[in-house]
Amino acid sequence: MGIKASATCVMNFDGATGWIVDAPNKGLAAMFTMMNYERLGVGIQGLATGERSYQSAVDYARERIQSRAPTGPQAKDKAADPIIVHPDVRRMLLTMKALNEGGRAFSSYVAMQLDTAKFSEDPATRKRAEELVALLTPVAKAFLTDMGLETTIHGQQVFGGHGFIREWGQEQLVRDCRITQIYEGTNGIQALDLVGRKVIGSGGAFYRHFAEEIKAFTDSADSSLAEFVEPLKAAIANLEQMTAELLERAKANPNEIGAASVEYLQVFGYTAYAYMWALMARAALGKQDQDDFYASKLGTARFYFARILPRIHSLTAAVKAGSESLYLLDAAQF
Ligand SMILES: Cc1cc2nc3c(=O)[nH]c(=O)nc-3n(C[C@H](O)[C@H](O)[C@H](O)COP(=O)(O)OP(=O)(O)OC[C@H]3O[C@@H](n4cnc5c(N)ncnc54)[C@H](O)[C@@H]3O)c2cc1C
């Protein structure tokens, strides 16, 4: 479907002999020595396709003329306005920008924890970073790639019919991004890993590192950041309540974990990006009048909190709905 430059194919070794390498049952542990880096790498592959799609879509939206702005003509010297004036095109571009820059910050944050886990000379710091890496790696892999696909599809849509045909490159980005949700462990399996092994498996300890860091940030933030800090606090409180309820339900019914896990991971991802956007807003606030870079950061942070973070409410409702409705049909009734 995509990544055509990768020489991947199916090979069947009929009648071949296999030899075990090293001790039995040690293979999975050996594989996991590289897995955290690999999974973050695949997450960044998804993010990168989204960023490339965004850069082309912005250029196109500035140039392509079609219809007039709802508030009246903007480019009076032209037969029509550039499509970047239309609210829906701005929605698509800003969604892409907010998800890409949130994802870039989050992937750098996880990479920093990987480096700390490997290179810190302090054993307690190393342990905390290792546990954060364990918690956040499945989120980085699955959420960056899910958002990567959403982003490339918005980029394709900005191009209209030119997004579907091959000439402009946008359709290739959609195809190339798709594998990132599947290989290196499907995103469904990443979500099970997050909820089952990392959150429940650590008795909530790994999760607390992350929640405590965010709380320290919200407690120390001054009132000029309230527009970002208040929704971030509410998002963390929502995640905490959702986690506690899920842990309770999972004790009575093992299906509850798998029924909730994908939406749970997404609530986690949007909340993590909200933390990243609050940090970026803190860095930009006060500098927006002198510099377009900071003005753009602040505007995008506002868009993220107004239009993207509220997605957690419908996802939380799905998590809370539990497994019951998934088991109303038997296999023959599908
Ligand atoms: C282009 C390409 C390159 C690849 N490169 C490599 C490589 O270099 N090295 C390598 O080792 N592998 C590679 N793979 C394999 C890849 O990692 C696997 O295809 C992927 O992890 C999914 O496993 P599967 O195909 O066996 O799917 P399955 O395990 O059969 O999964 C099918 C579906 O069922 C779901 N599912 C399975 N088990 C559960 C469960 N317990 N609970 C809930 N849902 C479940 C999955 O999420 C998925 O949606 C590659 C695959 C492709 C397509």
Side-chain angles (χ1 to χ4, degrees):
M1 179 177 175
I3 58 168
K4 299 277 171 132
S6 166
T8 307
C9 66
V10 176
M11 294 173 73
N12 296 310
F13 295 93
D14 295 333
T17 305
W19 285 271
I20 194 160
V21 178
D22 210 343
N25 300 320
K26 300 286 180 205
L28 200 64
M31 184 186 73
F32 270 98
T33 58
M34 62 160 198
M35 225 44 172
N36 288 332
Y37 277 92
E38 288 299 312
R39 289 189 169 159
L40 179 61
V42 171
I44 292 171
Q45 188 186 348
L47 171 64
T49 50
E51 176 60 24
R52 192 170 158 197
S53 179
Y54 171 73
Q55 291 181 18
S56 301
V58 171
D59 285 348
Y60 189 79
R62 288 193 183 118
E63 284 173 15
R64 167 76 171 166
I65 58 167
Q66 191 69 266
S67 330
R68 287 294 186 189
T71 51
Q74 306 290 305
K76 294 198 174 99
D77 56 325
K78 297 206 169 98
D81 284 331
I83 59 172
I84 201 165
V85 304
H86 302 308
D88 188 52
V89 174
R90 300 179 78 85
R91 175 189 66 81
M92 291 189 279
L93 292 174
L94 275 161
T95 300
M96 297 173 84
K97 186 169 162 58
L99 293 175
N100 285 344
E101 292 179 22
R104 201 182 309 153
F106 183 61
S107 63
S108 304
Y109 177 88
V110 179
M112 190 173 72
Q113 303 306 331
L114 273 164
D115 280 358
T116 306
K118 202 168 175 182
F119 298 115
S120 171
E121 284 167 10
D122 173 36
T125 308
R126 261 201 322 270
K127 182 169 180 292
R128 179 182 179 277
E130 273 164 19
E131 293 179 353
L132 267 176
V133 164
L135 177 77
L136 299 178
T137 298
V139 183
K141 193 281 176 180
F143 197 64
L144 287 168
T145 58
D146 281 351
M147 296 304 104
L149 186 74
E150 177 180 336
T151 302
T152 55
I153 288 173
H154 287 312
Q156 183 180 36
Q157 193 77 9
V158 167
F159 276 71
H162 290 289
F164 190 81
I165 61 170
R166 213 172 262 182
E167 201 177 335
W168 294 83
Q170 292 299 89
E171 57 83 40
Q172 183 195 329
L173 297 173
V174 176
R175 287 188 290 102
D176 283 350
C177 189
R178 191 65 183 84
I179 186 61
T180 64
Q181 297 174 299
I182 296 172
Y183 66 9
E184 212 58 47
T186 63
N187 287 0
I189 296 299
Q190 302 300 324
L192 278 179
D193 181 42
L194 172 69
V195 181
R197 291 179 59 221
K198 307 301 172 51
V199 176
I200 298 179
S202 74
F206 296 180
Y207 167 76
R208 273 194 294 282
H209 294 315
F210 195 54
E212 279 163 13
E213 182 178 318
I214 298 177
K215 277 184 191 143
F217 166 77
T218 55
D219 288 349
S220 66
D222 70 47
S223 57
S224 64
L225 283 170
E227 64 180 301
F228 308 108
V229 165
E230 292 309 318
L232 176 58
K233 274 190 196 162
I236 281 289
N238 172 68
L239 186 56
E240 253 157 39
Q241 195 206 7
M242 192 179 82
T243 305
E245 283 179 28
L246 179 59
L247 292 182
E248 239 357 86
R249 287 206 314 274
K251 282 184 199 156
N253 179 358
N255 271 337
E256 292 296 320
I257 296 173
S261 50
V262 164
E263 283 97 347
Y264 181 98
L265 184 146
Q266 295 199 339
V267 174
F268 199 116
Y270 286 119
T271 305
Y273 278 25
Y275 176 41
M276 297 297 119
W277 271 113
L279 290 171
M280 289 189 274
R282 182 177 66 178
L285 203 64
K287 300 183 194 133
Q288 67 273 23
D289 294 334
Q290 296 106 49
D291 193 316
D292 272 350
F293 175 80
Y294 292 113
S296 169
K297 279 281 177 223
L298 209 53
T300 312
R302 287 184 172 131
F303 174 85
Y304 184 83
F305 280 91
R307 300 281 307 232
I308 306 283
L309 184 60
R311 291 180 184 186
I312 61 173
H313 300 305
S314 61
L315 291 163
T316 301
V319 169
K320 290 187 176 180
S323 64
E324 200 186 321
S325 62
L326 295 174
Y327 285 89
L328 298 176
L329 312 188
D330 64 32
Q333 290 171 329
F334 275 85

